[in-house]
Amino acid sequence: AGAGIQADLKTCAARGVFCSTVITAVTAQNTLGVQDVSILPEESVAAQLKSVLSDMHVDVVKTGMLPSPAMVKILQDSLKQFPVQALVVDPVMVSTSGHVLAGSSILDTFKQDLLPMADIVTPNIKEASVLLGGMQLETVTDMRSAAKSLHDMGPRNVLVKGGDLPSSLDAIDIFFDGKDFYELRSSRIQSRNTHGTGCTMASCIAAELAKGSSMLSAVKVAKRYVETAIEYGKSIDIGNGPQGPFDHLFKLKRKNSSRLHLFDPSDLFLYAVTDSGMNKKWGHSITEAVKAAIEGGATIVQIREKDAETGEFLEAAKSCLEICHAHNIPLLINDRVDIALACDADGVHVGQSDMPVNTVRALLGPDKIIGVSCKTPEHALKAWADGADYIGSGGVFPTNTKANNRTIGLDGLKTVCLASKLPVVAIGGINLTNARSVMELGVVNLKGVAVVSALFDRECVAAETRKLHDLLTESVANVGSAVTEEV
C-alpha cells in the first residue's frame, strides 16, 4: 500500500539505480493501518539472499523489516560470504500507524549483531527510543544524545529522523558520523500523505551510496528527495485512512489535470506562440494574452519568453498551464526544458541549435510532447528518428519575430511536409492574408499554422484569433470539398 518494498522499489527507480529485493514478510496494510503480518520461512529468506547476492553484483544492501533474530543471523552470514560496499539499516519495528512489526525478542539481536554491521542506521524517534530502552526524545538535544548513544552501539553513522518530533515547527533530522553532528532542517509540510517516508529515506540513501556519493551527501539528497516528494504529492487523495501514500515519481498529481489524453496532431490546427515584447506593447500580461487566444480558438499554446528572468518565466508558465488545462489545451515551452520540467508543462519546442531532441526526450520521458523546428527534409527525418512528435516548418514567409530567418516559401514547406513522417505545423509570417494559401497546399500531414504577430501584436487577441480560426476552418473545408469533387 505504499510503504516497505513498494517504497523501496519506487525510490530506487526514481533515483536511477537497479533494485533487487528479498522479502522477509508479507503485510496486509492500507491507509488505515496494518491488518496482518505473515512472516516468510527463514529458508526462503536465505535462498533469496543467496540468489541475489551471488549474481547481481550488489553495491549496497538496505534492510527494512527483519522480524526474527534468525533472519538477522542469515543476513550476517550472507554478507560475510558476499561482501558489499555499504549496509544501510532502517530498524523497522513500529509502523507510523503504531502497529508493532518486530517484537522485543529481536531488540538484543539488533543491538548486538545488526547495528555493528551497519554503515548507517536510520531510526525515527520512536525507533530510537525503543533501541535505547525507552529513552524519551522530545527535543533536538534529545535527538543528539540519542544519535551519540546509538553510535556507541557500533554503526559508523547515525541518522535520527525527527519528523514526528512534537516540539518542532520544522522537520529536523540529526546526522552523526562519530565526530560531527549535522542538523538537517526543512519546512514541515502539512500532508496526510506520508506513508513510507522512512523506507524511502533509507532507500534513497542506499541509492546515492550505490552511485558513489559520500555518506553525508547521500543523506542530504535523501532529505531533499523525501521533502520534495511529499510537497509534490500532498494533494493526492488515495484511500480513506489518516495516512496516504506520497508520490515517488512526481506523476500522480497529473491525474487531477483535466488534460489526460496524449498528443493529437489536430492540436496543431491553430498554434499560438506568445511574445513578451508584443504583450508589453499592448499592455497585456502573458496570462491575459494566453486566455484571450484560447477564447478565440487557439488549439495549442507555446510560451516563448526570450527576455524573462527564470523565476518570472516559471511563475508565468505555471499560471498559463492552469489556464490551458482548464480548457483542455496543451501548453508547450519554447527552448527551456528546465522550465517545462519545473512546471510540468505538456512539452517543449526546440530549434535546430537548441538541445538535441533525443536528449530532450530522455529528460522529459515518453509522455511529453516534443516539437522541433525544421527547414529541410533532412531535418524532418532526423526529428522523427530522434523521437519528436511534430515539426514546425518555416519560416514560410518573412517575419519580424526572428532576425535573419531564412524563408522556405510554400514550395519549401510542401517539400518538407512530403518528406516528413511526423505531423507538420507551418510557421513564419503567417496571417489573415496568406494563411489560406498555406492550408490549401493539400498536403495530408500539414495540420495547422503557428502564429505570433497575427495574434499577439493586436489590441484584441481574442478577436484576431477568432478571425484566423474561422479562416482556417473554411480553408480546410474547401480543400476537403475539392478532393471530394476530384474523386
Side-chain angles (χ1 to χ4, degrees), residues 147-177:
K148 175 65 170 63
S149 297
L150 288 170
H151 187 270
D152 291 341
M153 294 181 183
R156 280 156 284 294
N157 299 273
V158 178
L159 179 70
V160 179
K161 300 171 295 188
D164 296 324
L165 196 67
S167 61
S168 175
L169 296 177
D170 293 333
I172 302 173
D173 300 337
I174 297 297
F175 175 72
F176 182 56
D177 61 7

PDB file of all heavy atoms in Angstrom, residues 147-177:
ATOM      1  N   ALA A 147      21.552  10.008  19.057  1.00  0.00           N
ATOM      2  CA  ALA A 147      22.464   9.686  17.956  1.00  0.00           C
ATOM      3  C   ALA A 147      23.817   9.243  18.494  1.00  0.00           C
ATOM      4  O   ALA A 147      24.416   8.266  18.006  1.00  0.00           O
ATOM      5  CB  ALA A 147      22.612  10.888  17.027  1.00  0.00           C
ATOM      6  N   LYS A 148      24.296   9.931  19.518  1.00  0.00           N
ATOM      7  CA  LYS A 148      25.588   9.569  20.128  1.00  0.00           C
ATOM      8  C   LYS A 148      25.506   8.182  20.780  1.00  0.00           C
ATOM      9  O   LYS A 148      26.402   7.347  20.607  1.00  0.00           O
ATOM     10  CB  LYS A 148      25.963  10.618  21.168  1.00  0.00           C
ATOM     11  CG  LYS A 148      27.233  10.297  21.964  1.00  0.00           C
ATOM     12  CD  LYS A 148      28.465  10.278  21.083  1.00  0.00           C
ATOM     13  CE  LYS A 148      29.763  10.190  21.892  1.00  0.00           C
ATOM     14  NZ  LYS A 148      29.860   8.952  22.667  1.00  0.00           N
ATOM     15  N   SER A 149      24.409   7.924  21.511  1.00  0.00           N
ATOM     16  CA  SER A 149      24.261   6.634  22.189  1.00  0.00           C
ATOM     17  C   SER A 149      24.136   5.491  21.197  1.00  0.00           C
ATOM     18  O   SER A 149      24.691   4.406  21.394  1.00  0.00           O
ATOM     19  CB  SER A 149      23.031   6.663  23.104  1.00  0.00           C
ATOM     20  OG  SER A 149      23.187   7.631  24.121  1.00  0.00           O
ATOM     21  N   LEU A 150      23.413   5.731  20.090  1.00  0.00           N
ATOM     22  CA  LEU A 150      23.276   4.701  19.059  1.00  0.00           C
ATOM     23  C   LEU A 150      24.615   4.449  18.374  1.00  0.00           C
ATOM     24  O   LEU A 150      24.954   3.307  18.050  1.00  0.00           O
ATOM     25  CB  LEU A 150      22.219   5.118  18.035  1.00  0.00           C
ATOM     26  CG  LEU A 150      20.765   5.075  18.534  1.00  0.00           C
ATOM     27  CD1 LEU A 150      19.832   5.746  17.537  1.00  0.00           C
ATOM     28  CD2 LEU A 150      20.324   3.629  18.770  1.00  0.00           C
ATOM     29  N   HIS A 151      25.382   5.512  18.159  1.00  0.00           N
ATOM     30  CA  HIS A 151      26.687   5.356  17.534  1.00  0.00           C
ATOM     31  C   HIS A 151      27.607   4.492  18.400  1.00  0.00           C
ATOM     32  O   HIS A 151      28.429   3.719  17.879  1.00  0.00           O
ATOM     33  CB  HIS A 151      27.323   6.724  17.271  1.00  0.00           C
ATOM     34  CG  HIS A 151      28.582   6.657  16.477  1.00  0.00           C
ATOM     35  ND1 HIS A 151      29.831   6.533  17.060  1.00  0.00           N
ATOM     36  CD2 HIS A 151      28.802   6.663  15.133  1.00  0.00           C
ATOM     37  CE1 HIS A 151      30.747   6.493  16.104  1.00  0.00           C
ATOM     38  NE2 HIS A 151      30.157   6.568  14.929  1.00  0.00           N
ATOM     39  N   ASP A 152      27.454   4.612  19.697  1.00  0.00           N
ATOM     40  CA  ASP A 152      28.263   3.808  20.618  1.00  0.00           C
ATOM     41  C   ASP A 152      27.971   2.311  20.484  1.00  0.00           C
ATOM     42  O   ASP A 152      28.765   1.476  20.929  1.00  0.00           O
ATOM     43  CB  ASP A 152      28.019   4.247  22.066  1.00  0.00           C
ATOM     44  CG  ASP A 152      28.582   5.642  22.352  1.00  0.00           C
ATOM     45  OD1 ASP A 152      29.454   6.098  21.580  1.00  0.00           O
ATOM     46  OD2 ASP A 152      28.137   6.271  23.339  1.00  0.00           O
ATOM     47  N   MET A 153      26.823   1.971  19.859  1.00  0.00           N
ATOM     48  CA  MET A 153      26.475   0.561  19.670  1.00  0.00           C
ATOM     49  C   MET A 153      27.178  -0.045  18.456  1.00  0.00           C
ATOM     50  O   MET A 153      27.041  -1.250  18.212  1.00  0.00           O
ATOM     51  CB  MET A 153      24.962   0.406  19.519  1.00  0.00           C
ATOM     52  CG  MET A 153      24.178   0.765  20.763  1.00  0.00           C
ATOM     53  SD  MET A 153      22.393   0.522  20.500  1.00  0.00           S
ATOM     54  CE  MET A 153      21.753   1.096  22.086  1.00  0.00           C
ATOM     55  N   GLY A 154      27.847   0.772  17.657  1.00  0.00           N
ATOM     56  CA  GLY A 154      28.643   0.190  16.588  1.00  0.00           C
ATOM     57  C   GLY A 154      28.459   0.690  15.180  1.00  0.00           C
ATOM     58  O   GLY A 154      29.372   0.528  14.354  1.00  0.00           O
ATOM     59  N   PRO A 155      27.294   1.285  14.799  1.00  0.00           N
ATOM     60  CA  PRO A 155      27.173   1.749  13.406  1.00  0.00           C
ATOM     61  C   PRO A 155      28.127   2.911  13.131  1.00  0.00           C
ATOM     62  O   PRO A 155      28.423   3.697  14.030  1.00  0.00           O
ATOM     63  CB  PRO A 155      25.714   2.203  13.315  1.00  0.00           C
ATOM     64  CG  PRO A 155      25.323   2.560  14.701  1.00  0.00           C
ATOM     65  CD  PRO A 155      26.070   1.583  15.582  1.00  0.00           C
ATOM     66  N   ARG A 156      28.606   2.990  11.894  1.00  0.00           N
ATOM     67  CA  ARG A 156      29.573   4.045  11.577  1.00  0.00           C
ATOM     68  C   ARG A 156      28.926   5.423  11.459  1.00  0.00           C
ATOM     69  O   ARG A 156      29.578   6.445  11.657  1.00  0.00           O
ATOM     70  CB  ARG A 156      30.327   3.666  10.294  1.00  0.00           C
ATOM     71  CG  ARG A 156      31.441   2.671  10.591  1.00  0.00           C
ATOM     72  CD  ARG A 156      31.838   1.844   9.426  1.00  0.00           C
ATOM     73  NE  ARG A 156      30.914   0.759   9.080  1.00  0.00           N
ATOM     74  CZ  ARG A 156      30.669  -0.297   9.851  1.00  0.00           C
ATOM     75  NH1 ARG A 156      31.240  -0.408  11.033  1.00  0.00           N
ATOM     76  NH2 ARG A 156      29.839  -1.240   9.455  1.00  0.00           N
ATOM     77  N   ASN A 157      27.642   5.463  11.119  1.00  0.00           N
ATOM     78  CA  ASN A 157      26.904   6.732  11.032  1.00  0.00           C
ATOM     79  C   ASN A 157      25.491   6.509  11.547  1.00  0.00           C
ATOM     80  O   ASN A 157      24.945   5.404  11.453  1.00  0.00           O
ATOM     81  CB  ASN A 157      26.833   7.223   9.579  1.00  0.00           C
ATOM     82  CG  ASN A 157      28.200   7.484   8.976  1.00  0.00           C
ATOM     83  OD1 ASN A 157      28.750   8.565   9.111  1.00  0.00           O
ATOM     84  ND2 ASN A 157      28.756   6.473   8.290  1.00  0.00           N
ATOM     85  N   VAL A 158      24.899   7.572  12.069  1.00  0.00           N
ATOM     86  CA  VAL A 158      23.539   7.502  12.613  1.00  0.00           C
ATOM     87  C   VAL A 158      22.738   8.683  12.080  1.00  0.00           C
ATOM     88  O   VAL A 158      23.225   9.825  12.076  1.00  0.00           O
ATOM     89  CB  VAL A 158      23.534   7.531  14.157  1.00  0.00           C
ATOM     90  CG1 VAL A 158      22.093   7.513  14.685  1.00  0.00           C
ATOM     91  CG2 VAL A 158      24.327   6.355  14.718  1.00  0.00           C
ATOM     92  N   LEU A 159      21.518   8.406  11.640  1.00  0.00           N
ATOM     93  CA  LEU A 159      20.568   9.462  11.276  1.00  0.00           C
ATOM     94  C   LEU A 159      19.317   9.263  12.108  1.00  0.00           C
ATOM     95  O   LEU A 159      18.588   8.288  11.918  1.00  0.00           O
ATOM     96  CB  LEU A 159      20.227   9.401   9.781  1.00  0.00           C
ATOM     97  CG  LEU A 159      19.214  10.442   9.303  1.00  0.00           C
ATOM     98  CD1 LEU A 159      19.820  11.846   9.326  1.00  0.00           C
ATOM     99  CD2 LEU A 159      18.706  10.114   7.892  1.00  0.00           C
ATOM    100  N   VAL A 160      19.072  10.172  13.036  1.00  0.00           N
ATOM    101  CA  VAL A 160      17.844  10.143  13.831  1.00  0.00           C
ATOM    102  C   VAL A 160      16.856  11.097  13.188  1.00  0.00           C
ATOM    103  O   VAL A 160      17.098  12.307  13.105  1.00  0.00           O
ATOM    104  CB  VAL A 160      18.103  10.533  15.298  1.00  0.00           C
ATOM    105  CG1 VAL A 160      16.789  10.519  16.083  1.00  0.00           C
ATOM    106  CG2 VAL A 160      19.103   9.577  15.936  1.00  0.00           C
ATOM    107  N   LYS A 161      15.736  10.547  12.731  1.00  0.00           N
ATOM    108  CA  LYS A 161      14.759  11.336  11.968  1.00  0.00           C
ATOM    109  C   LYS A 161      13.723  11.949  12.914  1.00  0.00           C
ATOM    110  O   LYS A 161      13.101  11.233  13.695  1.00  0.00           O
ATOM    111  CB  LYS A 161      14.082  10.459  10.925  1.00  0.00           C
ATOM    112  CG  LYS A 161      15.066   9.860   9.914  1.00  0.00           C
ATOM    113  CD  LYS A 161      14.413   8.813   9.028  1.00  0.00           C
ATOM    114  CE  LYS A 161      13.957   7.606   9.816  1.00  0.00           C
ATOM    115  NZ  LYS A 161      13.500   6.498   8.956  1.00  0.00           N
ATOM    116  N   GLY A 162      13.542  13.257  12.793  1.00  0.00           N
ATOM    117  CA  GLY A 162      12.671  13.961  13.718  1.00  0.00           C
ATOM    118  C   GLY A 162      11.371  14.449  13.134  1.00  0.00           C
ATOM    119  O   GLY A 162      10.802  15.433  13.622  1.00  0.00           O
ATOM    120  N   GLY A 163      10.887  13.760  12.111  1.00  0.00           N
ATOM    121  CA  GLY A 163       9.625  14.191  11.513  1.00  0.00           C
ATOM    122  C   GLY A 163       8.467  14.185  12.480  1.00  0.00           C
ATOM    123  O   GLY A 163       7.513  14.952  12.325  1.00  0.00           O
ATOM    124  N   ASP A 164       8.529  13.312  13.492  1.00  0.00           N
ATOM    125  CA  ASP A 164       7.447  13.220  14.477  1.00  0.00           C
ATOM    126  C   ASP A 164       7.761  13.963  15.774  1.00  0.00           C
ATOM    127  O   ASP A 164       7.050  13.795  16.771  1.00  0.00           O
ATOM    128  CB  ASP A 164       7.168  11.743  14.811  1.00  0.00           C
ATOM    129  CG  ASP A 164       6.670  10.972  13.602  1.00  0.00           C
ATOM    130  OD1 ASP A 164       5.922  11.555  12.799  1.00  0.00           O
ATOM    131  OD2 ASP A 164       7.034   9.789  13.462  1.00  0.00           O
ATOM    132  N   LEU A 165       8.831  14.770  15.751  1.00  0.00           N
ATOM    133  CA  LEU A 165       9.200  15.496  16.968  1.00  0.00           C
ATOM    134  C   LEU A 165       8.122  16.519  17.300  1.00  0.00           C
ATOM    135  O   LEU A 165       7.871  17.445  16.520  1.00  0.00           O
ATOM    136  CB  LEU A 165      10.549  16.204  16.768  1.00  0.00           C
ATOM    137  CG  LEU A 165      11.260  16.697  18.026  1.00  0.00           C
ATOM    138  CD1 LEU A 165      11.709  15.509  18.873  1.00  0.00           C
ATOM    139  CD2 LEU A 165      12.462  17.559  17.648  1.00  0.00           C
ATOM    140  N   PRO A 166       7.472  16.399  18.456  1.00  0.00           N
ATOM    141  CA  PRO A 166       6.305  17.251  18.741  1.00  0.00           C
ATOM    142  C   PRO A 166       6.644  18.709  18.989  1.00  0.00           C
ATOM    143  O   PRO A 166       5.800  19.586  18.780  1.00  0.00           O
ATOM    144  CB  PRO A 166       5.694  16.601  19.996  1.00  0.00           C
ATOM    145  CG  PRO A 166       6.849  15.904  20.657  1.00  0.00           C
ATOM    146  CD  PRO A 166       7.733  15.434  19.540  1.00  0.00           C
ATOM    147  N   SER A 167       7.854  18.995  19.430  1.00  0.00           N
ATOM    148  CA  SER A 167       8.157  20.369  19.852  1.00  0.00           C
ATOM    149  C   SER A 167       8.721  21.238  18.742  1.00  0.00           C
ATOM    150  O   SER A 167       9.047  22.404  18.958  1.00  0.00           O
ATOM    151  CB  SER A 167       9.177  20.331  21.002  1.00  0.00           C
ATOM    152  OG  SER A 167      10.391  19.721  20.562  1.00  0.00           O
ATOM    153  N   SER A 168       8.848  20.710  17.525  1.00  0.00           N
ATOM    154  CA  SER A 168       9.500  21.456  16.446  1.00  0.00           C
ATOM    155  C   SER A 168       8.520  21.822  15.348  1.00  0.00           C
ATOM    156  O   SER A 168       7.718  21.000  14.904  1.00  0.00           O
ATOM    157  CB  SER A 168      10.648  20.636  15.856  1.00  0.00           C
ATOM    158  OG  SER A 168      11.203  21.297  14.753  1.00  0.00           O
ATOM    159  N   LEU A 169       8.614  23.079  14.895  1.00  0.00           N
ATOM    160  CA  LEU A 169       7.802  23.523  13.761  1.00  0.00           C
ATOM    161  C   LEU A 169       8.418  23.074  12.443  1.00  0.00           C
ATOM    162  O   LEU A 169       7.742  23.044  11.417  1.00  0.00           O
ATOM    163  CB  LEU A 169       7.669  25.051  13.776  1.00  0.00           C
ATOM    164  CG  LEU A 169       6.916  25.646  14.974  1.00  0.00           C
ATOM    165  CD1 LEU A 169       6.924  27.164  14.898  1.00  0.00           C
ATOM    166  CD2 LEU A 169       5.481  25.123  15.019  1.00  0.00           C
ATOM    167  N   ASP A 170       9.709  22.733  12.458  1.00  0.00           N
ATOM    168  CA  ASP A 170      10.397  22.231  11.270  1.00  0.00           C
ATOM    169  C   ASP A 170      10.577  20.726  11.368  1.00  0.00           C
ATOM    170  O   ASP A 170      10.442  20.137  12.443  1.00  0.00           O
ATOM    171  CB  ASP A 170      11.768  22.895  11.119  1.00  0.00           C
ATOM    172  CG  ASP A 170      11.672  24.374  10.803  1.00  0.00           C
ATOM    173  OD1 ASP A 170      10.647  24.782  10.214  1.00  0.00           O
ATOM    174  OD2 ASP A 170      12.605  25.112  11.149  1.00  0.00           O
ATOM    175  N   ALA A 171      10.886  20.112  10.224  1.00  0.00           N
ATOM    176  CA  ALA A 171      11.243  18.696  10.213  1.00  0.00           C
ATOM    177  C   ALA A 171      12.757  18.622  10.331  1.00  0.00           C
ATOM    178  O   ALA A 171      13.478  18.984   9.403  1.00  0.00           O
ATOM    179  CB  ALA A 171      10.763  18.042   8.923  1.00  0.00           C
ATOM    180  N   ILE A 172      13.241  18.180  11.503  1.00  0.00           N
ATOM    181  CA  ILE A 172      14.676  18.209  11.800  1.00  0.00           C
ATOM    182  C   ILE A 172      15.200  16.789  11.964  1.00  0.00           C
ATOM    183  O   ILE A 172      14.644  16.001  12.724  1.00  0.00           O
ATOM    184  CB  ILE A 172      14.959  19.012  13.080  1.00  0.00           C
ATOM    185  CG1 ILE A 172      14.432  20.445  12.941  1.00  0.00           C
ATOM    186  CG2 ILE A 172      16.449  19.028  13.392  1.00  0.00           C
ATOM    187  CD1 ILE A 172      14.511  21.247  14.220  1.00  0.00           C
ATOM    188  N   ASP A 173      16.256  16.476  11.219  1.00  0.00           N
ATOM    189  CA  ASP A 173      16.949  15.199  11.370  1.00  0.00           C
ATOM    190  C   ASP A 173      18.360  15.486  11.885  1.00  0.00           C
ATOM    191  O   ASP A 173      18.959  16.509  11.544  1.00  0.00           O
ATOM    192  CB  ASP A 173      17.041  14.466  10.031  1.00  0.00           C
ATOM    193  CG  ASP A 173      15.678  14.154   9.442  1.00  0.00           C
ATOM    194  OD1 ASP A 173      14.697  14.093  10.200  1.00  0.00           O
ATOM    195  OD2 ASP A 173      15.597  13.981   8.205  1.00  0.00           O
ATOM    196  N   ILE A 174      18.865  14.587  12.692  1.00  0.00           N
ATOM    197  CA  ILE A 174      20.231  14.716  13.224  1.00  0.00           C
ATOM    198  C   ILE A 174      21.103  13.615  12.636  1.00  0.00           C
ATOM    199  O   ILE A 174      20.805  12.423  12.788  1.00  0.00           O
ATOM    200  CB  ILE A 174      20.238  14.634  14.764  1.00  0.00           C
ATOM    201  CG1 ILE A 174      19.450  15.799  15.367  1.00  0.00           C
ATOM    202  CG2 ILE A 174      21.683  14.642  15.272  1.00  0.00           C
ATOM    203  CD1 ILE A 174      20.012  17.183  15.069  1.00  0.00           C
ATOM    204  N   PHE A 175      22.171  14.021  11.969  1.00  0.00           N
ATOM    205  CA  PHE A 175      23.131  13.084  11.404  1.00  0.00           C
ATOM    206  C   PHE A 175      24.420  13.172  12.214  1.00  0.00           C
ATOM    207  O   PHE A 175      24.937  14.268  12.464  1.00  0.00           O
ATOM    208  CB  PHE A 175      23.406  13.420   9.942  1.00  0.00           C
ATOM    209  CG  PHE A 175      24.489  12.567   9.312  1.00  0.00           C
ATOM    210  CD1 PHE A 175      24.261  11.232   9.024  1.00  0.00           C
ATOM    211  CD2 PHE A 175      25.734  13.113   9.020  1.00  0.00           C
ATOM    212  CE1 PHE A 175      25.255  10.446   8.457  1.00  0.00           C
ATOM    213  CE2 PHE A 175      26.729  12.346   8.437  1.00  0.00           C
ATOM    214  CZ  PHE A 175      26.490  11.005   8.160  1.00  0.00           C
ATOM    215  N   PHE A 176      24.943  12.015  12.624  1.00  0.00           N
ATOM    216  CA  PHE A 176      26.171  11.965  13.418  1.00  0.00           C
ATOM    217  C   PHE A 176      27.111  10.937  12.798  1.00  0.00           C
ATOM    218  O   PHE A 176      26.740   9.778  12.583  1.00  0.00           O
ATOM    219  CB  PHE A 176      25.846  11.585  14.863  1.00  0.00           C
ATOM    220  CG  PHE A 176      27.048  11.543  15.776  1.00  0.00           C
ATOM    221  CD1 PHE A 176      27.886  12.643  15.926  1.00  0.00           C
ATOM    222  CD2 PHE A 176      27.346  10.393  16.505  1.00  0.00           C
ATOM    223  CE1 PHE A 176      28.998  12.606  16.765  1.00  0.00           C
ATOM    224  CE2 PHE A 176      28.443  10.342  17.354  1.00  0.00           C
ATOM    225  CZ  PHE A 176      29.273  11.452  17.478  1.00  0.00           C
ATOM    226  N   ASP A 177      28.325  11.380  12.486  1.00  0.00           N
ATOM    227  CA  ASP A 177      29.286  10.491  11.844  1.00  0.00           C
ATOM    228  C   ASP A 177      30.363   9.983  12.802  1.00  0.00           C
ATOM    229  O   ASP A 177      31.388   9.441  12.387  1.00  0.00           O
ATOM    230  CB  ASP A 177      29.943  11.186  10.650  1.00  0.00           C
ATOM    231  CG  ASP A 177      30.722  12.443  11.044  1.00  0.00           C
ATOM    232  OD1 ASP A 177      30.861  12.713  12.247  1.00  0.00           O
ATOM    233  OD2 ASP A 177      31.177  13.162  10.126  1.00  0.00           O
TER     234      ASP A 177
END
